[in-house]
Amino acid sequence: MVRFLSTLFIAFLSAGICQGQTVDQRYPVIPKPVSIQVSEGYFHLSHNLKFATPNKLLRPVSDSLVKYVSGLTHFPIKYHSAGSRNSICFAKDVSIPKDGYILRITPSKIIISYSDAAGAFYAFQSIKQLIQPLYVLDAKQHKSNYVIPCCEIRDSPAYEWRGFHLDVSRHFFTKEYILRLIDWISSYKLNKLHLHLTDDQGWRVQSEKFPLLNETGSWRTFNDLDSACLLQAKKNPDFAIDRRFVRADETYGGFYSKKELEEIINYATAHYVEVIPEVDMPGHMSAAIRAYPELSCTGSTGWGKEFSYPICPCKQETMQFAFAVWDEIASLFPSPYVHIGSDEVEKDTWESSGICRQFMKEHALTDIKEVQNYFVRQLQQHLESKGKKVIAWDDVIDGKVDSNLIMMYWRDWLKDSPGRCAGNGNSIILTPWSPFYISGHHSDSTFRELYEYDPKTHFPKEVMNKVIGLQSCVWTEEIPSEERFEYLVFPRLQALSEVCWSKGRDWLGFRQRLDVRMKDMDAGKINYRKPSQ
């Protein structure tokens, strides 16, 4: 009798869930799929749920789904042969686009169709977002029961490159927190994690060839930005500097060991996220110059008209340093992509250097800007000889560059830069300062501006033909804590995912789906900014 009442109660709730719900509330998937064919009924995650034994390629994805569902329902789940009732199974379909999937959910079965393992993984993320709780009226067990609304989802990404950039130089984050970040970005189908590992304020990657990069370059005395954070912390605790990275009360720093970076890379790979390292050269190199002053033209760090003193590419030993540093990085990161920075390079010290004047004469360079492009070209050729594809900020298009260099466009006040990149034959990753720099002011208007960004309305066809994707950037000058990071990033991360993945925009539908996803953030204790209704 108890079992009958329980079943009746579940049926009652199943019938009632969809009353008054919109499609976005019933299927709250972010990013929005290409299409959802709505069906009545639910697939129940019951005690007799079975998983069809997957092939070797999909076993990690399937094991993750089994672990998730088992942890949610507290029911033990085993693999069985395909075709069983109340089962979840996989089906290979080579016609599905890269990273895409088809998800067919009926009351008796879930079929995940895929063409590659990443597509199956993304189907898993959609399933997680579709699961809804029902509570079983069972006097003995009081266990929760979960259902998934029936439907057919066909989905694939709008862009190949769906990126998230994090600056760990200005302020540092633990390995464990980077793993959490990978969980977040992969759950919303982003697939690139761009780590800005070095800058004036700190060198964050272990170097065995140049140990002073860590002994000296990884640490700094509190600077003006640290002081600004300490001042703001008096009113807002989110600005408090993480004391795990402070020693002697006034020195800030830290770095990832190679072992820690290997853990990050392996974890990311299991979540279909590619980790792209950036070591910014020849500018933004004060941390390295503090450790090895001979790298600069002046023999010291310093500040020019706008930016810090760069390293001196006119010295052969400096070029050898750059090659050796990148040899270590290239061997550590398996991604074919590397980012060499090359933005905001102060050239005053080159202009006043006798070494550089002689260098320009020997290499027939007539403009000081050509020194930067010579450096970029040499470093690009060196890295390409290691099998790498090289990315740089679009500042370098102001000179002559190789067409194989991938441009990351951020200077949105220079409207002609993407056109010049495309005209030169360069592939482009779009990360325009506004609205993709999500470390800045977070408001309802900036949130919606990011969501509604459509590059096709900003750039002509010849530029869009060279665009491989989009990426947000988080710069951490004034983000000294995990709490501040989360406040600025969420829920803009969810908006970013839809801009990168989905082929259309629906602000009202997105807000309905986000209302459900905010419950996930509450459960995960994420310090997000709650947007107004």
Side-chain angles (χ1 to χ4, degrees):
M1 183 66 178
V2 170
R3 179 179 297 177
F4 171 76
L5 289 174
S6 298
T7 304
L8 186 64
F9 186 63
I10 292 171
F12 172 76
L13 284 178
S14 297
I17 274 182
C18 59
Q19 292 181 4
Q21 283 186 321
T22 66
V23 171
D24 289 292
Q25 290 168 332
R26 180 171 164 85
Y27 305 99
V29 177
I30 296 177
K32 184 179 181 179
V34 172
S35 69
I36 300 179
Q37 183 177 326
V38 176
S39 299
E40 293 185 358
Y42 294 85
F43 178 90
H44 288 253
L45 300 177
S46 61
H47 68 281
N48 61 348
L49 174 64
K50 306 176 186 68
F51 270 73
T53 304
N55 60 36
K56 185 177 180 180
L57 177 67
L58 292 187
R59 189 65 185 241
V61 175
S62 184
D63 286 348
S64 295
L65 183 53
V66 166
K67 182 179 179 181
Y68 180 82
V69 172
S70 181
L72 196 65
T73 63
H74 304 291
F75 297 142
I77 299 173
K78 295 181 179 180
Y79 286 111
H80 292 267
S81 59
S84 303
R85 185 174 175 81
N86 200 35
S87 65
I88 298 177
C89 58
F90 296 89
K92 178 85 171 181
D93 184 343
V94 295
S95 69
I96 296 174
K98 183 179 182 295
D99 290 358
Y101 64 91
I102 300 174
L103 188 57
R104 296 180 176 92
I105 303 171
T106 70
S108 62
K109 184 178 289 190
I110 294 178
I111 302 174
I112 300 170
S113 298
Y114 66 95
S115 62
D116 53 31
F121 177 82
Y122 295 135
F124 168 29
Q125 306 315 307
S126 295
I127 287 173
K128 286 199 298 183
Q129 294 186 18
L130 287 170
I131 294 174
Q132 303 174 10
L134 294 176
Y135 292 94
V136 180
L137 187 62
D138 189 325
K140 292 183 178 180
Q141 296 186 28
H142 298 288
K143 284 188 176 180
S144 60
N145 184 276
Y146 293 84
V147 297
I148 304 174
C150 294
C151 62
E152 178 176 297
I153 294 177
R154 293 176 177 267
D155 205 7
S156 60
Y159 294 99
E160 173 191 348
W161 186 289
R162 307 180 297 279
F164 186 93
H165 159 288
L166 176 61
D167 161 23
V168 295
S169 175
R170 276 54 178 261
H171 284 102
F172 193 51
F173 296 87
T174 65
K175 176 202 73 178
E176 290 74 20
Y177 197 71
I178 299 299
L179 300 185
R180 287 189 66 194
L181 174 60
I182 291 167
D183 285 336
W184 293 329
I185 66 175
S186 64
S187 69
Y188 291 105
K189 303 183 178 75
L190 300 178
N191 66 345
K192 311 291 183 189
L193 175 59
H194 171 179
L195 290 179
H196 187 81
L197 292 167
T198 68
D199 215 295
D200 294 323
Q201 293 80 7
W203 193 277
R204 305 295 178 217
V205 54
Q206 180 185 2
S207 175
E208 294 172 351
K209 292 181 180 178
F210 301 99
L212 291 182
L213 288 176
N214 302 127
E215 295 174 23
T216 302
S218 294
W219 299 90
R220 68 167 185 263
T221 302
F222 277 3
N223 59 23
D224 291 345
L225 290 170
D226 293 316
S227 298
C229 289
L230 290 170
L231 183 63
Q232 293 182 81
K234 294 179 180 179
K235 295 182 179 179
N236 184 346
D238 288 358
F239 284 96
I241 293 174
D242 193 326
R243 304 302 295 184
R244 290 175 293 180
F245 311 128
V246 177
R247 63 186 186 189
D249 290 329
E250 61 177 13
T251 305
Y252 183 94
F255 62 93
Y256 300 113
S257 69
K258 289 187 175 181
K259 181 179 179 181
E260 287 178 315
L261 285 169
E262 287 173 356
E263 289 183 54
I264 289 170
I265 292 165
N266 291 338
Y267 191 82
T269 300
H271 289 72
Y272 296 89
V273 172
E274 204 173 318
V275 183
I276 291 88
E278 180 186 357
V279 175
D280 200 349
M281 298 180 176
H284 290 278
M285 283 286 282
S286 293
I289 296 171
R290 287 200 307 272
Y292 298 97
E294 66 274 14
L295 291 173
S296 77
C297 289
T298 65
S300 67
T301 60
W303 201 264
K305 293 177 182 178
E306 294 184 87
F307 310 114
S308 62
Y309 289 176
I311 58 175
C312 183
C314 306
K315 297 179 182 179
Q316 185 57 32
E317 56 267 34
T318 300
M319 289 302 307
Q320 293 306 315
F321 168 84
F323 294 157
V325 164
W326 268 110
D327 286 348
E328 276 197 282
I329 298 293
S331 65
L332 180 61
F333 288 83
S335 170
Y337 297 100
V338 293
H339 200 305
I340 62 172
S342 300
D343 63 317
E344 298 180 332
V345 179
E346 184 68 55
K347 302 176 180 67
D348 292 355
T349 58
W350 296 351
E351 284 186 299
S352 60
S353 167
I355 294 175
C356 286
R357 286 194 294 271
Q358 181 62 31
F359 179 87
M360 291 176 67
K361 184 178 180 180
E362 292 172 356
H363 291 80
L365 306 179
T366 59
D367 189 305
I368 198 67
K369 293 179 181 179
E370 296 179 57
V371 173
Q372 178 178 355
N373 291 99
Y374 172 88
F375 174 84
V376 169
R377 186 164 57 253
Q378 293 296 309
L379 192 53
Q380 179 186 355
Q381 289 172 357
H382 181 79
L383 287 165
E384 286 177 345
S385 73
K386 307 287 182 181
K388 298 297 185 179
K389 300 177 182 179
V390 183
I391 307 168
W393 299 107
D394 72 295
D395 304 51
V396 300
I397 197 61
D398 295 342
K400 186 177 180 180
V401 296
D402 184 89
S403 61
N404 289 327
L405 192 66
I406 300 169
M407 296 296 190
M408 192 165 275
Y409 170 65
W410 71 281
R411 303 177 301 167
D412 59 0
W413 60 92
L414 295 178
K415 305 300 183 183
D416 66 334
S417 182
R420 286 187 285 141
C421 294
N424 194 57
N426 301 92
S427 296
I428 303 168
I429 299 165
L430 297 174
T431 178
W433 185 82
S434 176
F436 282 82
Y437 277 32
I438 61 175
S439 40
H441 178 61
H442 191 179
S443 65
D444 287 347
S445 61
T446 59
F447 177 45
R448 186 163 183 171
E449 180 188 6
L450 172 61
Y451 178 79
E452 294 185 339
Y453 183 86
D454 182 357
K456 293 187 292 294
T457 66
H458 292 264
F459 305 109
K461 184 177 180 180
E462 54 268 25
V463 170
M464 290 306 302
N465 287 341
K466 300 300 292 183
V467 170
I468 62 174
L470 303 97
Q471 176 174 292
S472 70
C473 289
V474 175
W475 301 99
T476 60
E477 288 94 336
E478 296 188 56
I479 304 179
S481 69
E482 295 170 1
E483 291 78 12
R484 187 62 184 166
F485 171 86
E486 292 168 13
Y487 179 83
L488 291 172
V489 169
F490 294 96
R492 289 194 282 195
L493 178 71
Q494 286 89 338
L496 171 71
S497 77
E498 203 139 304
V499 173
C500 291
W501 180 281
S502 303
K503 296 177 174 63
R505 301 289 181 276
D506 175 11
W507 172 250
L508 294 179
F510 171 71
R511 286 305 314 273
Q512 290 182 344
R513 286 175 281 119
L514 182 62
D515 285 344
V516 180
R517 302 278 66 87
M518 284 195 291
K519 296 176 184 177
D520 299 339
M521 292 191 284
D522 290 333
K525 298 182 178 179
I526 295 175
N527 186 46
Y528 67 97
R529 178 190 177 274
K530 189 171 183 178
S532 301
Q533 294 298 324

